[in-house]
Amino acid sequence: DESAFKYLWRVNLNEECIVLPNIGANIGEVYFVEPSGLPYDNNVLGPNAILLKANEDTYFAFTALNNLTFQKQLFENVGSSGQPKFNKTELKSIQLYMPQNEEQEKIGQYFRDLDHLITLHQRKNIYFYEKVTLVWEQRKLGEIAFSFEYGLNAAAKEYDGENKYIRITDIDNNTHEFLTYNLTSPDIDLTDAENYKLAEGDILLARTGASVGKSYIYRDSDGLVYYAGFLIRARIREEYDAEFVFQSTLTDKYNKYIAVTSQRSGQPGMNAQEYSEFEIRVPEKEEQTKIGTYFRILDHLITLHQCKCHLLHKLLHNDWEQRKLGDVLVSLQNNTLSRADLSNEAGVAKNVHYGDVLIKFGEVLDVSKEQLPMISDESILTKYKTSFLQNGDVIIADTAEDTT
């Protein structure tokens, strides 16, 4: 039917666009649509969702709609009776902060690249899951490693410039890399500590506390490192790829095994025997090496993106100067008018009441749209004529009518 086709074609998905569910439990979710990922040459949007096509950068708009500022405004428009929903008119009333198009494109591309890397990282678990059902053989970690050994029973001291000491807290929770910004050395005579030096491919596993299960793989670039007593070192046999084994400790399967096995009456813990029972499915070593290398590179790229965010944050804080609020704002005289002194019908000037700041207004007050009470006594207005509000003024409620 040609008329039906023309009607549906208004919501075609043949270019990058954004889809918002507008009824039911999925309200608040935001979907970025890429035509290349859709099943047919021509696709249209079904019911119970709104299609958005950006005038400028689509991915920037997608990122902005995932922002808490938009989400908060969206849910303020969601009906509270019956099934949650909102309509296009309510959606159009929401305001977004938008930079110039060139900056939108740069920000949009940055988050597009970052989201792509995160998606690849999440596919790691899917990849491992799919592969284990094919030709991979199941092995216990105790078969893959030829030794499990506990670390030095020694305190830490100031770094001596050569001998590094790694403890559970020195392993980054996210990247699983050795944190080197606060290096220490073992506070012990190292003459007989040769066995506690780490070698390329050694894997450390946390054995106690809230971080039980945390893993780290030693690389020569980390320098001369000794490991502490709350860590267990697994030394991998030559017929297995250490990087592949390490990547297996970053999967959901491993986390679930740790969560179940580490249960104790006191704080959680794992011993070498329990670690040795963890089962991993492995392919031939050549494939192990390719997979391990691929995920290592992917993890490195994600770390670089995280460092970029951290660097930007650091630059902003290093370059910005600190000022007291009194140095950047001029305080205006406020009034003590009660609601009884104000009129909702007529007057000579609008008045912002502190109670409305607390419970009625949002973060931005548009006086052309809000219904504000009026000051009717012109003599009062004369008293405060030096305190008239103007665009950009900041209003802070300095008292409240109740404990909330």
Side-chain angles (χ1 to χ4, degrees), residues 90-102:
E90 292 165 333
L91 183 62
K92 289 178 180 179
S93 69
I94 296 177
Q95 296 187 353
L96 298 175
Y97 289 101
M98 305 290 286
Q100 296 298 317
N101 189 38
E102 182 181 358

Side-chain angles (χ1 to χ4, degrees), residues 228-240:
F230 287 123
L231 293 165
I232 299 173
R233 178 181 64 192
R235 187 156 279 176
I236 308 303
R237 298 178 185 273
E238 288 187 5
E239 56 264 40
Y240 298 97

Side-chain angles (χ1 to χ4, degrees), residues 1-9:
D1 184 285
E2 184 177 354
S3 62
F5 174 81
K6 288 181 178 179
Y7 178 80
L8 287 172
W9 197 243

Side-chain angles (χ1 to χ4, degrees), residues 372-397:
L372 297 177
M374 304 286 286
I375 298 174
S376 54
D377 189 339
E378 194 164 346
S379 63
I380 294 177
L381 186 64
T382 303
K383 180 180 178 182
Y384 296 107
K385 64 181 180 180
T386 59
S387 297
F388 288 168
L389 294 176
Q390 61 185 24
N391 284 337
D393 283 351
V394 178
I395 301 174
I396 301 173

Side-chain angles (χ1 to χ4, degrees), residues 19 22 30 33 45 95-96 116 118 129 167 170 181 206 244 246 274 285 291 320 325 335 355 370 382 385 399:
V19 170
N22 71 318
V30 185
V33 179
L45 181 65
Q95 296 187 353
L96 298 175
H116 177 65
I118 292 171
Y129 175 78
R167 301 155 295 172
D170 296 316
Y181 59 80
F244 175 85
F246 169 67
E274 289 167 323
K285 187 176 180 181
I291 294 170
W320 292 13
L325 199 58
N335 65 63
E370 290 285 353
T382 303
K385 64 181 180 180
T399 188

Side-chain angles (χ1 to χ4, degrees), residues 352-371:
V352 178
H353 189 271
Y354 75 90
D356 292 333
V357 174
L358 292 169
I359 63 174
K360 181 179 179 182
F361 303 140
E363 293 179 349
V364 178
L365 171 60
D366 187 340
V367 295
S368 66
K369 296 180 179 179
E370 290 285 353
Q371 185 69 35

Side-chain angles (χ1 to χ4, degrees), residues 104-139:
Q104 286 185 42
E105 291 176 358
K106 290 180 179 179
I107 295 172
Q109 188 61 50
Y110 171 76
F111 281 108
R112 186 193 293 259
D113 293 342
L114 185 58
D115 288 344
H116 177 65
L117 284 173
I118 292 171
T119 300
L120 288 176
H121 196 66
Q122 291 168 337
R123 286 177 182 167
K124 178 188 296 184
N125 287 318
I126 299 173
Y127 182 85
F128 272 96
Y129 175 78
E130 290 177 344
K131 282 293 184 182
V132 298
T133 63
L134 301 177
V135 295
W136 293 14
E137 297 179 346
Q138 186 162 287
R139 293 285 185 269

Side-chain angles (χ1 to χ4, degrees), residues 159-226:
Y159 180 48
D160 61 15
E162 179 183 5
N163 302 292
K164 300 174 184 176
Y165 198 29
I166 185 169
R167 301 155 295 172
I168 293 177
T169 53
D170 296 316
I171 301 172
D172 187 273
N173 290 326
N174 297 313
T175 66
H176 292 255
E177 294 181 351
F178 184 19
L179 298 170
T180 57
Y181 59 80
N182 189 25
L183 290 172
T184 60
S185 296
D187 190 10
I188 194 173
D189 183 0
L190 298 173
T191 305
D192 299 320
E194 190 70 21
N195 189 49
Y196 299 100
K197 289 181 181 178
L198 295 178
E200 180 75 19
D202 281 351
I203 296 174
L204 297 182
L205 305 165
R207 66 183 180 92
T208 189
S211 298
V212 64
K214 186 195 290 188
S215 59
Y216 156 81
I217 184 169
Y218 173 80
R219 299 186 176 95
D220 287 338
S221 58
D222 286 336
L224 176 56
V225 182
Y226 295 84

